[in-house]
PDB file of all heavy atoms in Angstrom:
ATOM      1  N   MET Y 407     133.384-150.339  94.196  1.00  0.00           N
ATOM      2  CA  MET Y 407     133.626-150.637  92.856  1.00  0.00           C
ATOM      3  C   MET Y 407     132.251-150.845  92.182  1.00  0.00           C
ATOM      4  O   MET Y 407     131.332-151.330  92.777  1.00  0.00           O
ATOM      5  CB  MET Y 407     134.441-152.038  92.687  1.00  0.00           C
ATOM      6  CG  MET Y 407     135.769-151.997  93.376  1.00  0.00           C
ATOM      7  SD  MET Y 407     136.892-150.820  92.640  1.00  0.00           S
ATOM      8  CE  MET Y 407     137.223-151.588  91.054  1.00  0.00           C
ATOM      9  N   VAL Y 408     132.199-150.403  90.830  1.00  0.00           N
ATOM     10  CA  VAL Y 408     130.994-150.574  90.017  1.00  0.00           C
ATOM     11  C   VAL Y 408     131.241-151.593  88.852  1.00  0.00           C
ATOM     12  O   VAL Y 408     132.375-151.464  88.237  1.00  0.00           O
ATOM     13  CB  VAL Y 408     130.443-149.348  89.561  1.00  0.00           C
ATOM     14  CG1 VAL Y 408     129.954-148.462  90.786  1.00  0.00           C
ATOM     15  CG2 VAL Y 408     131.423-148.470  88.757  1.00  0.00           C
ATOM     16  N   GLU Y 409     130.358-152.251  88.567  1.00  0.00           N
ATOM     17  CA  GLU Y 409     130.333-153.041  87.166  1.00  0.00           C
ATOM     18  C   GLU Y 409     129.582-152.174  86.198  1.00  0.00           C
ATOM     19  O   GLU Y 409     128.378-151.967  86.364  1.00  0.00           O
ATOM     20  CB  GLU Y 409     129.817-154.474  87.340  1.00  0.00           C
ATOM     21  CG  GLU Y 409     129.962-155.249  86.108  1.00  0.00           C
ATOM     22  CD  GLU Y 409     129.386-156.577  86.197  1.00  0.00           C
ATOM     23  OE1 GLU Y 409     130.099-157.534  86.718  1.00  0.00           O
ATOM     24  OE2 GLU Y 409     128.190-156.811  85.775  1.00  0.00           O
ATOM     25  N   ILE Y 410     130.365-151.726  85.237  1.00  0.00           N
ATOM     26  CA  ILE Y 410     129.748-150.753  84.322  1.00  0.00           C
ATOM     27  C   ILE Y 410     129.569-151.511  82.957  1.00  0.00           C
ATOM     28  O   ILE Y 410     130.475-152.164  82.429  1.00  0.00           O
ATOM     29  CB  ILE Y 410     130.578-149.461  84.153  1.00  0.00           C
ATOM     30  CG1 ILE Y 410     129.934-148.498  83.266  1.00  0.00           C
ATOM     31  CG2 ILE Y 410     132.060-149.837  83.733  1.00  0.00           C
ATOM     32  CD1 ILE Y 410     130.606-147.154  83.360  1.00  0.00           C
ATOM     33  N   SER Y 411     128.462-151.321  82.373  1.00  0.00           N
ATOM     34  CA  SER Y 411     128.105-151.973  81.070  1.00  0.00           C
ATOM     35  C   SER Y 411     127.876-150.860  80.057  1.00  0.00           C
ATOM     36  O   SER Y 411     127.102-149.969  80.205  1.00  0.00           O
ATOM     37  CB  SER Y 411     126.798-152.848  81.246  1.00  0.00           C
ATOM     38  OG  SER Y 411     126.314-153.210  79.955  1.00  0.00           O
ATOM     39  N   ILE Y 412     128.672-150.911  79.055  1.00  0.00           N
ATOM     40  CA  ILE Y 412     128.667-149.826  77.972  1.00  0.00           C
ATOM     41  C   ILE Y 412     128.240-150.358  76.666  1.00  0.00           C
ATOM     42  O   ILE Y 412     128.921-151.323  76.111  1.00  0.00           O
ATOM     43  CB  ILE Y 412     130.010-149.112  77.869  1.00  0.00           C
ATOM     44  CG1 ILE Y 412     130.552-148.501  79.266  1.00  0.00           C
ATOM     45  CG2 ILE Y 412     130.041-147.934  76.842  1.00  0.00           C
ATOM     46  CD1 ILE Y 412     131.995-148.073  79.260  1.00  0.00           C
ATOM     47  N   HIS Y 413     127.288-149.788  76.013  1.00  0.00           N
ATOM     48  CA  HIS Y 413     126.757-150.142  74.687  1.00  0.00           C
ATOM     49  C   HIS Y 413     127.235-149.087  73.759  1.00  0.00           C
ATOM     50  O   HIS Y 413     126.950-147.968  73.891  1.00  0.00           O
ATOM     51  CB  HIS Y 413     125.280-150.345  74.616  1.00  0.00           C
ATOM     52  CG  HIS Y 413     124.690-151.567  75.362  1.00  0.00           C
ATOM     53  ND1 HIS Y 413     124.128-152.563  74.606  1.00  0.00           N
ATOM     54  CD2 HIS Y 413     124.783-151.987  76.576  1.00  0.00           C
ATOM     55  CE1 HIS Y 413     123.765-153.638  75.421  1.00  0.00           C
ATOM     56  NE2 HIS Y 413     124.194-153.227  76.685  1.00  0.00           N
ATOM     57  N   LEU Y 414     127.930-149.544  72.626  1.00  0.00           N
ATOM     58  CA  LEU Y 414     128.446-148.539  71.698  1.00  0.00           C
ATOM     59  C   LEU Y 414     128.657-149.025  70.345  1.00  0.00           C
ATOM     60  O   LEU Y 414     128.816-150.288  70.154  1.00  0.00           O
ATOM     61  CB  LEU Y 414     129.668-147.808  72.223  1.00  0.00           C
ATOM     62  CG  LEU Y 414     130.939-148.769  72.282  1.00  0.00           C
ATOM     63  CD1 LEU Y 414     132.214-147.924  72.357  1.00  0.00           C
ATOM     64  CD2 LEU Y 414     131.011-149.797  73.423  1.00  0.00           C
ATOM     65  N   PRO Y 415     128.736-148.154  69.244  1.00  0.00           N
ATOM     66  CA  PRO Y 415     129.071-148.711  67.975  1.00  0.00           C
ATOM     67  C   PRO Y 415     130.475-149.205  67.917  1.00  0.00           C
ATOM     68  O   PRO Y 415     131.438-148.644  68.726  1.00  0.00           O
ATOM     69  CB  PRO Y 415     128.899-147.437  67.110  1.00  0.00           C
ATOM     70  CG  PRO Y 415     128.021-146.592  67.815  1.00  0.00           C
ATOM     71  CD  PRO Y 415     128.340-146.769  69.264  1.00  0.00           C
ATOM     72  N   ASN Y 416     130.751-150.058  67.053  1.00  0.00           N
ATOM     73  CA  ASN Y 416     132.068-150.724  66.958  1.00  0.00           C
ATOM     74  C   ASN Y 416     133.164-149.787  66.694  1.00  0.00           C
ATOM     75  O   ASN Y 416     134.386-149.936  67.172  1.00  0.00           O
ATOM     76  CB  ASN Y 416     132.019-151.682  65.690  1.00  0.00           C
ATOM     77  CG  ASN Y 416     133.091-152.673  65.592  1.00  0.00           C
ATOM     78  OD1 ASN Y 416     133.968-152.817  66.680  1.00  0.00           O
ATOM     79  ND2 ASN Y 416     133.397-153.241  64.573  1.00  0.00           N
ATOM     80  N   GLU Y 417     133.003-148.722  65.959  1.00  0.00           N
ATOM     81  CA  GLU Y 417     134.126-147.727  65.531  1.00  0.00           C
ATOM     82  C   GLU Y 417     134.724-147.052  66.802  1.00  0.00           C
ATOM     83  O   GLU Y 417     135.828-146.413  66.715  1.00  0.00           O
ATOM     84  CB  GLU Y 417     133.629-146.722  64.550  1.00  0.00           C
ATOM     85  CG  GLU Y 417     132.534-145.796  65.076  1.00  0.00           C
ATOM     86  CD  GLU Y 417     131.827-145.019  63.953  1.00  0.00           C
ATOM     87  OE1 GLU Y 417     132.382-144.026  63.587  1.00  0.00           O
ATOM     88  OE2 GLU Y 417     130.665-145.485  63.555  1.00  0.00           O
ATOM     89  N   PHE Y 418     133.967-146.856  67.953  1.00  0.00           N
ATOM     90  CA  PHE Y 418     134.538-146.140  69.127  1.00  0.00           C
ATOM     91  C   PHE Y 418     135.035-147.005  70.175  1.00  0.00           C
ATOM     92  O   PHE Y 418     135.448-146.482  71.222  1.00  0.00           O
ATOM     93  CB  PHE Y 418     133.389-145.360  69.708  1.00  0.00           C
ATOM     94  CG  PHE Y 418     132.718-144.407  68.742  1.00  0.00           C
ATOM     95  CD1 PHE Y 418     131.331-144.579  68.263  1.00  0.00           C
ATOM     96  CD2 PHE Y 418     133.339-143.260  68.200  1.00  0.00           C
ATOM     97  CE1 PHE Y 418     130.658-143.757  67.461  1.00  0.00           C
ATOM     98  CE2 PHE Y 418     132.819-142.435  67.245  1.00  0.00           C
ATOM     99  CZ  PHE Y 418     131.413-142.618  66.920  1.00  0.00           C
ATOM    100  N   VAL Y 419     135.215-148.324  69.928  1.00  0.00           N
ATOM    101  CA  VAL Y 419     135.716-149.256  70.958  1.00  0.00           C
ATOM    102  C   VAL Y 419     137.078-148.857  71.535  1.00  0.00           C
ATOM    103  O   VAL Y 419     137.273-148.803  72.678  1.00  0.00           O
ATOM    104  CB  VAL Y 419     135.633-150.685  70.425  1.00  0.00           C
ATOM    105  CG1 VAL Y 419     136.388-151.661  71.510  1.00  0.00           C
ATOM    106  CG2 VAL Y 419     134.267-151.211  70.227  1.00  0.00           C
ATOM    107  N   GLY Y 420     138.006-148.648  70.615  1.00  0.00           N
ATOM    108  CA  GLY Y 420     139.432-148.276  70.964  1.00  0.00           C
ATOM    109  C   GLY Y 420     139.472-147.070  71.998  1.00  0.00           C
ATOM    110  O   GLY Y 420     140.141-147.139  73.014  1.00  0.00           O
ATOM    111  N   LYS Y 421     138.744-146.030  71.744  1.00  0.00           N
ATOM    112  CA  LYS Y 421     138.764-144.824  72.487  1.00  0.00           C
ATOM    113  C   LYS Y 421     138.105-145.023  73.918  1.00  0.00           C
ATOM    114  O   LYS Y 421     138.584-144.531  74.887  1.00  0.00           O
ATOM    115  CB  LYS Y 421     137.955-143.693  71.801  1.00  0.00           C
ATOM    116  CG  LYS Y 421     138.584-143.125  70.565  1.00  0.00           C
ATOM    117  CD  LYS Y 421     137.642-142.054  69.931  1.00  0.00           C
ATOM    118  CE  LYS Y 421     138.255-141.480  68.685  1.00  0.00           C
ATOM    119  NZ  LYS Y 421     137.348-140.533  68.091  1.00  0.00           N
TER     120      LYS Y 421
END
Side-chain angles (χ1 to χ4, degrees):
M407 301 294 290
V408 295
E409 185 178 274
I410 184 167
S411 170
I412 303 169
H413 285 244
L414 70 159
N416 194 14
E417 61 191 283
F418 303 113
V419 170
K421 290 178 181 177

